[in-house]
Amino acid sequence: MKFSVVMSVYNGEEYLTESIDSILNQTYPDFEFIIVNDGSTDQTRQMLDTVDDNRVRVYHLEKNYGLSYGLNFGISMAKGEWIVRQDADDISLPQRIEKQNHFIQSNPGLIGVSSFIRCISAKAPIPSHLLHDIEGTNKILTRQQMMQHRFLAPPFIHGSVIFSKEVFNQIGRYNVRYAICQDHDLWIRMLEVGDIPKLEEVLYEYRIDPSSLCHKDEAATCREVMEICTFHIRDWLSRQLNRQPKVLVLGSENGCQYLKNNILPFTGLHVQSYVTQDLIRRMPEVFNDYKKGNVDAIVLLDCPVAPYALEFLQKSGMQMSRNLFKIWNVFL
């Protein structure tokens, strides 16, 4: 078996049939489809039990363990060497697996492949500008762009990726600590191992639903992003320097305080100093701290003056994801 499509679903009755059909109607027919019902309390169980296709295997979990656990479980049951991700409210276009398979066959040595995505609305309408903003992930194409971008946001939409099961197991699978941003953590680790190119064609439709976990609680999503990014920044710098790195953090008072109190205790990143006032005026002083070797890197938390600070530091010669890191922050 070459491909295992893996879906974990919790209370997904509204779009589940459409999503399953988008896989069963693929032009490339040779796959197994593993669906994990993660303790749903709606009609998901009953709907899954009526799916009549010998490629489908359904597993019912008796309680809700979360997406990371459900995916780890499903992938552990998979017989395929390649895992095709599919989320329960999204749509794979008919030639998705066929075209991604052809790319994998033509480019040996890859550990995965993604594609362009198109955003679609849930039943509640979404402003078109928001849909286009999320489609901005299509602009991250080259490995260089992915490596520069990886600490800021995921370079791929989760369900659009086919990846190597062997590499997935090698790097430690999904981290069950993360309920929302488990894919961001996974891509950072996977990109350290090898390449995951992106086909410049829309093969996956990503549904934007305001009631989904990642959209309804922006603070919880941001907290996971901050934790994932600071952990991996510390880990990456430690490997480059062969010692514990020291960083300077720029940002709003609230953002820096949140980082200090709620994130750093879990990630171990050593912050030498914080700059929260008069950021524009103090940028030469901040860069001088780095230039003198007082700190190994500068971490910039999103804030109103972040674009100016980023531009100043890059023009001074600092490089994104090497000695300069930007992290999403909503705690302004």
Side-chain angles (χ1 to χ4, degrees):
M1 177 67 63
K2 186 173 184 180
F3 292 108
S4 297
V5 183
V6 179
M7 171 191 291
S8 180
V9 54
Y10 173 67
N11 288 353
E13 63 181 6
E14 192 166 16
Y15 306 108
L16 184 59
T17 298
E18 187 179 8
S19 183
I20 291 174
D21 285 347
S22 79
I23 293 295
L24 298 182
N25 294 326
Q26 289 289 303
T27 56
Y28 184 98
D30 186 20
F31 57 82
E32 62 174 357
F33 190 3
I34 295 171
I35 306 176
V36 179
N37 169 26
D38 188 22
S40 298
T41 57
D42 62 358
Q43 292 299 305
T44 292
R45 184 182 190 118
Q46 291 83 348
M47 292 170 69
L48 291 176
D49 285 343
T50 65
V51 177
D52 185 18
D53 190 299
N54 60 14
R55 294 171 295 180
V56 176
R57 286 192 283 138
V58 175
Y59 296 90
H60 296 293
L61 305 183
E62 294 310 311
K63 68 176 185 177
N64 178 230
Y65 290 94
L67 181 59
S68 298
Y69 180 95
L71 291 176
N72 283 341
F73 177 84
I75 293 170
S76 73
M77 298 292 109
K79 299 174 183 175
E81 59 181 303
W82 294 94
I83 303 300
V84 182
R85 278 288 294 112
Q86 172 73 27
D87 281 328
D89 53 355
D90 297 341
I91 297 170
S92 285
L93 297 188
Q95 290 186 294
R96 178 206 171 171
I97 298 178
E98 180 182 351
K99 290 188 173 184
Q100 288 183 310
N101 170 57
H102 177 74
F103 191 83
I104 290 169
Q105 292 298 317
S106 303
N107 296 274
L110 300 179
I111 65 167
V113 61
S114 179
S115 75
F116 280 1
I117 60 101
R118 179 188 300 120
C119 289
I120 55 177
S121 291
K123 290 187 176 177
I126 303 293
S128 59
H129 71 85
L130 178 58
L131 298 180
H132 292 314
D133 285 349
I134 296 173
E135 287 175 2
T137 186
N138 292 340
K139 297 176 182 177
I140 304 168
L141 284 173
T142 67
R143 177 169 175 83
Q144 181 182 10
Q145 289 171 331
M146 291 176 190
M147 295 302 282
Q148 289 178 339
H149 188 270
R150 69 192 189 283
F151 297 120
L152 180 60
F156 321 107
I157 293 300
H158 196 177
S160 71
V161 184
I162 293 178
F163 56 80
S164 161
K165 181 182 178 183
E166 180 182 3
V167 172
F168 173 80
N169 287 328
Q170 173 189 328
I171 65 170
R173 312 196 304 167
Y174 289 102
N175 188 335
V176 296
R177 177 176 177 83
Y178 303 124
I180 306 169
C181 305
Q182 60 283 111
D183 60 319
H184 192 177
D185 170 68
L186 185 74
W187 306 141
I188 291 173
R189 289 182 283 134
M190 285 198 114
L191 285 169
E192 293 290 337
V193 176
D195 289 341
I196 307 176
K198 187 178 294 182
L199 298 185
E200 297 181 37
E201 178 180 357
V202 174
L203 297 175
Y204 194 79
E205 292 186 329
Y206 176 59
R207 196 179 305 275
I208 309 299
D209 186 348
S211 67
S212 68
L213 193 56
C214 66
H215 291 107
K216 71 180 179 182
D217 192 342
E218 189 178 49
T221 303
C222 185
R223 186 199 185 289
E224 284 200 4
V225 169
M226 292 177 82
E227 183 176 318
I228 289 165
C229 291
T230 53
F231 173 82
H232 285 293
I233 289 168
R234 186 216 71 183
D235 187 57
W236 188 83
L237 284 170
S238 295
R239 284 185 275 117
Q240 306 310 305
L241 299 167
N242 201 27
R243 60 171 171 80
Q244 174 82 299
K246 300 173 293 183
V247 304
L248 181 151
V249 176
L250 300 172
S252 66
E253 183 73 39
N254 285 344
C256 288
Q257 199 64 38
Y258 188 87
L259 181 79
K260 181 178 180 181
N261 294 339
N262 299 282
I263 305 299
L264 298 185
F266 297 98
T267 64
L269 181 66
H270 175 63
V271 177
Q272 185 85 345
S273 58
Y274 295 88
V275 176
T276 62
Q277 302 294 328
D278 299 324
L279 263 62
I280 294 177
R281 182 178 62 81
R282 295 181 63 185
M283 289 313 301
E285 168 195 337
V286 165
F287 178 68
N288 211 34
D289 250 6
Y290 167 74
K291 194 172 181 182
K292 287 181 176 179
N294 296 332
V295 295
D296 301 304
I298 294 174
V299 174
L300 174 62
L301 301 183
D302 262 337
C303 62
V305 300
Y308 172 84
L310 192 64
E311 182 182 13
F312 179 93
L313 293 169
Q314 287 182 307
K315 283 184 175 178
S316 299
M318 301 193 75
Q319 295 180 295
M320 281 289 287
S321 296
R322 294 188 64 84
N323 49 26
L324 175 62
F325 302 89
K326 185 168 181 276
I327 298 178
W328 179 46
N329 166 51
V330 299
F331 304 102
L332 302 177

